[in-house]
Amino acid sequence: MNTTLASGGTAGLAILDAMELASDPGLDARFAESAHQILADLVRRGAALGWVEPPARRDVAELLGTVVSAVQAGDGSLRAAYVDRRLVGLGYWLRYARPTHRPHADLEKVAVDAAVHGRGVGRALTAALIADARRAGIEVLTLDARGDNSNALHLYRSLGFTEYGRLPDFVAVGERRYDKVFYMLDFRRQG
């Protein structure tokens, strides 16, 4: 799915799903390394992605392998954002493993290269992941975010997510503490 963004967006932005990514050997071969570079850089800059220190290459490769396996089993979605064949963002959701929670999924990561922040890449990735969840029959798509990540929280609200809970001072980064904020998008209540 190619998406071109207008008014301040990133021209030529392509949002690929896992199948499209796998069908392009050039992109597929570099995906894990490029994803590692984005994630490690963002964590170095203090991004709220679940790591305190930049993740190791093997950890990112293992994570992506788990996500791709889930996608192949129909239990997840992976999206990659490219501009001129350069990875600029990625995101994924995974279906909950517990049998009583299988109708639902969790949007676990959306990461955008700092060089393209503010150009609509995160919005395009998240919208594609939401559309994938809808197509997969997901009833409720959840996510959690660090309470100080105001840009992400604003994006999620603008896409229809609502806050359903908060754990004060739950996220520990060294001596600092941040709220963990829970959001959901309930497709059962949408027409």
Side-chain angles (χ1 to χ4, degrees):
M1 170 178 114
N2 288 326
T3 306
T4 302
L5 302 174
S7 66
T10 302
L13 176 67
I15 304 293
L16 305 180
D17 65 23
M19 300 299 285
E20 292 167 318
L21 182 60
S23 71
D24 187 322
L27 295 180
D28 191 38
R30 295 186 313 268
F31 179 65
E33 178 59 31
S34 298
H36 171 260
Q37 289 173 357
I38 290 171
L39 293 167
D41 179 60
L42 290 171
V43 172
R44 265 192 230 60
R45 294 169 180 259
L49 291 169
W51 293 285
V52 173
E53 297 294 325
R57 282 180 176 84
R58 73 179 171 280
D59 294 338
V60 171
E62 184 177 302
L63 170 67
L64 294 173
T66 299
V67 172
V68 168
S69 293
V71 170
Q72 291 168 339
D75 290 334
S77 175
L78 169 68
R79 289 293 183 148
Y82 284 88
V83 173
D84 298 327
R85 297 184 61 80
R86 183 176 75 85
L87 184 69
V88 296
L90 65 141
Y92 67 89
W93 58 257
L94 297 173
R95 191 181 294 272
Y96 282 96
R98 186 179 294 173
T100 56
H101 294 88
R102 298 284 299 154
H104 315 296
D106 192 53
L107 181 59
E108 295 194 11
K109 288 209 189 323
V110 175
V112 176
D113 189 328
V116 296
H117 279 182
R119 294 191 187 160
V121 175
R123 175 174 294 283
L125 275 169
T126 307
L129 290 163
I130 290 168
D132 292 346
R134 216 179 242 123
R135 276 192 297 279
I138 298 299
E139 293 180 9
V140 178
L141 184 61
T142 63
L143 64 85
D144 62 76
R146 202 167 75 190
D148 69 324
N149 196 348
S150 58
N151 289 338
L153 296 175
H154 174 74
L155 169 66
Y156 299 136
R157 283 190 304 271
S158 75
L159 290 169
F161 283 87
T162 57
E163 183 176 332
Y164 70 91
R166 182 179 291 255
L167 292 172
D169 299 328
F170 187 80
V171 179
V173 180
E175 295 299 315
R176 293 169 297 187
R177 297 295 180 266
Y178 303 94
D179 290 358
K180 182 174 185 173
V181 184
F182 298 94
Y183 275 71
M184 67 177 202
L185 183 58
D186 191 340
F187 298 117
R188 299 169 302 181
R189 291 181 173 46
Q190 296 179 354

